[in-house]
Amino acid sequence: MRTIKQTKEIAVVGSYDVVVCGGGPAGVFAALAAAEVGAKVALVEQYGFLGGMATAGLVMPLSVFTYNNEQVIGGLPWRFIKRLEAMGGAHIETPLGNVAFDPELYKLCMQQMVLEAGIELYMHSYLSGVEMNGTRVEAVIIENKNGSEALEAKIFVDCTGDADLAYMAGVEMQPQNGEPLQPLSTYFILGGVDTASPLVNEAMHHNKQGVNCHCLPMREYLLENAAKLNIPEFGGPWFCTTLHEGCVAVNMTRTAGNACDNRDFTAAECRLREDVFRMAQILRENFKEFEKCYVAAVAPHAGIRETRRIKGAHTMTAEEYVSGYRYEDSISRGAHPIDIHATKGNNQNVTFLEQAAYVPYRALFTPSHPNILVAGRALSADRKAFASMRVQASCMGTGQAAGVAAALCAKENSSTDSVNINRLIEILRNLGAAI
Ligand SMILES: Cc1cc2nc3c(=O)[nH]c(=O)nc-3n(C[C@H](O)[C@H](O)[C@H](O)COP(=O)(O)OP(=O)(O)OC[C@H]3O[C@@H](n4cnc5c(N)ncnc54)[C@H](O)[C@@H]3O)c2cc1C
């Protein structure tokens, strides 16, 4: 392939203790936690709003903050949920601890918390590169309407979901090429739905422990009539209340694809947008509860379940995870079932947990790169443990832990592998983390 060489001078526009890349569930709580511990923090986000998959992907509900009514994710993420609830933007389902939300109030609430914490926010800014000194990151390069800009920091927290920063810095990744990835799905919001009907009302509240929350009667009908109705590949369907009468968020489309390959992802995004409107038509023509429905919103970004993760100092295994193994460096929890959607077809493999799991700090860094931490979807876990940890409350929990660790490392000028674990755990407990 023909290549072009470019060299350019890039202005360093900010110098921080901690730079967090990615303003999704993990990144926002990494930034808030680092600021809470006194660090000077910048947060970089490609969109003009925060929330990641919750808002750009319209992925709902937020799963899960409790296990059998026991709080498993506390601290700053829970403070956010209670504040969103007080704004009229969250509905906490019990006993499961799923949270349904209004995506627009979610964006507003998160933005308020970030700005009140004094975090410098770089929105509309795409992380495009890293400036390295050996295996140490000196600065990240971002692209926005001002051009290319560099942000320096002592510690960088990668919360891009796809481990973009770590990947660019040369951190070893998993899974390796060729291993299966869970499918992509574009969420959409339907208006004009009979949300008071028993079928929809039951399906849009995810409040029961130990059951799959898909709408079983609709699934059975759709599977039976898949060929006759020419239904594209689908999952669920799952519905979730957006807290507004007549509206539901729908998780139903799906296609195979690799979101870290631009051509593959572009093609998938286009297929999924076609499928959204086809699904809405199928629902309208086959279910009386949906006969007046219309597509009120399509998620700006296709939903990504799985891409690459780092190979960290420790890779959490499914065995550790389901046995509730409590590591010496446990910094967060997970309570969602192990939830693996087949790459192709309608199937899903769900293993319900018998207890909430623990997450070790060592899943958030690799000793090879002394000033990078990773939180959220890109942490170091095998495919099964990951399939539980990928949900949003769990990502918020690891974000919170990474933020505190980053602030400590910055304060002590230490590398990520020599953080004072006892101090880290003490601060997290004081914040309210249930560890
Ligand atoms: C179809 C589907 C259904 C799901 N169902 C549920 C569910 O029911 N409950 C649940 O809790 N979770 C669910 N999830 C999982 C959950 O939404 C994600 O795993 C979770 O949001 C991951 O959080 P994160 O912060 O790691 O990453 P993300 O939410 O992906 O956030 C990453 C952020 O980084 C930004 N970013 C990425 N790259 C760059 C870059 N290079 N430069 C600048 N910014 C960048 C993105 O814009 C985004 O804001 C589902 C996911 C999908 C796809």
Side-chain angles (χ1 to χ4, degrees), residues 340-356:
I340 305 180
H341 297 255
T343 308
K344 281 181 179 294
N346 314 93
N347 291 334
Q348 177 195 16
N349 193 329
V350 183
T351 309
F352 292 97
L353 301 183
E354 287 175 14
Q355 61 214 306

Side-chain angles (χ1 to χ4, degrees), residues 21-27 44-47 49-54 56 59-64 98 125-128 159-162 164 168 183-187 206 251 253 301-305 336 339 341 375-378 386 389-393 395:
C21 293
V44 175
E45 168 54 42
Q46 65 177 330
Y47 291 120
F49 54 85
L50 299 169
M53 276 293 129
V59 169
M60 49 187 93
L62 309 176
S63 312
V64 286
N98 269 323
S125 296
Y126 193 79
L127 167 74
S128 64
C159 296
T160 58
D162 300 321
D164 284 5
M168 289 187 243
L184 302 158
S185 294
T186 293
Y187 267 71
H206 300 208
N251 175 5
T253 65
H301 197 294
I304 304 169
R305 290 189 176 85
H336 191 68
D339 181 8
H341 297 255
R377 190 161 64 73
F386 161 78
M389 277 304 297
R390 66 190 178 86
V391 292
Q392 295 170 71
C395 291

Side-chain angles (χ1 to χ4, degrees), residues 8-16 19 21 42 44 120 122 125-131 137-144 146-153 156:
K8 56 182 175 184
E9 300 269 310
I10 298 176
V12 178
V13 297
S15 204
Y16 301 91
V19 168
C21 293
V44 175
E120 290 186 29
Y122 293 83
S125 296
Y126 193 79
L127 167 74
S128 64
V130 283
E131 178 65 16
V137 182
E138 297 280 307
V140 288
I141 314 301
I142 60 173
E143 309 293 331
N144 56 42
N146 295 12
S148 301
E149 301 186 310
L151 306 177
E152 287 177 337
F156 294 86

Side-chain angles (χ1 to χ4, degrees), residues 55-75:
T55 51
L58 294 175
V59 169
M60 49 187 93
L62 309 176
S63 312
V64 286
F65 289 87
T66 60
Y67 182 85
N68 271 339
N69 273 330
E70 178 207 349
Q71 185 95 25
V72 289
I73 302 294

Side-chain angles (χ1 to χ4, degrees), residues 109-392:
C109 184
M110 244 183 194
Q111 168 184 313
Q112 288 174 348
M113 287 177 74
V114 164
L115 295 178
E116 286 164 17
I119 293 162
E120 290 186 29
L121 189 52
Y122 293 83
M123 280 183 177
H124 300 292
S125 296
Y126 193 79
L127 167 74
S128 64
V130 283
E131 178 65 16
M132 302 293 292
N133 179 359
T135 58
R136 203 181 162 79
V137 182
E138 297 280 307
V140 288
I141 314 301
I142 60 173
E143 309 293 331
N144 56 42
K145 288 282 184 178
N146 295 12
S148 301
E149 301 186 310
L151 306 177
E152 287 177 337
K154 293 178 181 163
I155 303 289
F156 294 86
V157 189
D158 183 345
C159 296
T160 58
D162 300 321
D164 284 5
L165 193 164
Y167 180 73
M168 289 187 243
V171 171
E172 191 182 343
M173 293 289 146
Q174 52 180 331
Q176 300 300 331
N177 283 342
E179 289 180 42
L181 294 174
Q182 295 197 43
L184 302 158
S185 294
T186 293
Y187 267 71
F188 53 103
I189 294 181
L190 289 177
V193 178
D194 183 1
T195 44
S197 62
L199 181 84
V200 181
N201 191 48
E202 162 86 2
M204 70 183 187
H205 289 289
H206 300 208
N207 50 6
K208 295 191 187 75
Q209 191 91 45
V211 294
N212 192 324
C213 300
H214 57 207
C215 183
L216 194 55
M218 286 178 83
R219 179 176 175 79
E220 286 172 350
Y221 178 87
L222 293 170
L223 285 174
E224 265 167 39
N225 295 284
K228 192 174 86 190
L229 298 175
N230 190 21
I231 306 179
E233 220 171 333
F234 73 94
W238 294 269
F239 299 99
C240 187
T241 174
T242 62
L243 315 187
H244 299 287
E245 199 182 324
C247 290
V248 281
V250 185
N251 175 5
M252 187 175 183
T253 65
R254 59 166 59 190
T255 191
N258 180 358
C260 285
D261 177 320
N262 176 266
R263 308 312 174 270
D264 209 23
F265 192 42
T266 299
E269 185 88 52
C270 293
R271 279 197 302 278
L272 288 164
R273 190 176 309 281
E274 293 282 352
D275 288 354
V276 163
F277 287 88
R278 176 75 189 122
M279 295 301 188
Q281 184 189 10
I282 290 166
L283 297 183
R284 203 163 34 237
E285 290 173 356
N286 290 276
F287 301 96
K288 67 178 185 335
E289 297 83 354
F290 289 81
E291 65 190 3
K292 295 193 179 118
C293 79
Y294 60 93
V295 177
V298 180
H301 197 294
I304 304 169
R305 290 189 176 85
E306 182 174 20
T307 50
R308 56 193 172 210
R309 308 184 285 285
I310 64 159
K311 181 128 183 51
H314 181 78
T315 295
M316 296 166 64
T317 66
E319 291 73 29
E320 292 163 357
Y321 200 79
V322 295
S323 69
Y325 183 75
R326 197 164 183 171
Y327 311 86
E328 276 181 16
D329 59 343
S330 294
I331 43 76
S332 195
R333 308 285 293 275
H336 191 68
I338 292 178
D339 181 8
I340 305 180
H341 297 255
T343 308
K344 281 181 179 294
N346 314 93
N347 291 334
Q348 177 195 16
N349 193 329
V350 183
T351 309
F352 292 97
L353 301 183
E354 287 175 14
Q355 61 214 306
Y358 289 88
V359 185
Y361 171 63
R362 284 162 298 147
L364 308 185
F365 70 89
T366 166
S368 63
H369 288 68
N371 69 338
I372 300 178
L373 284 161
V374 172
R377 190 161 64 73
L379 89 177
S380 185
D382 71 15
R383 195 158 184 257
K384 287 186 176 169
F386 161 78
S388 165
M389 277 304 297
R390 66 190 178 86
V391 292
Q392 295 170 71

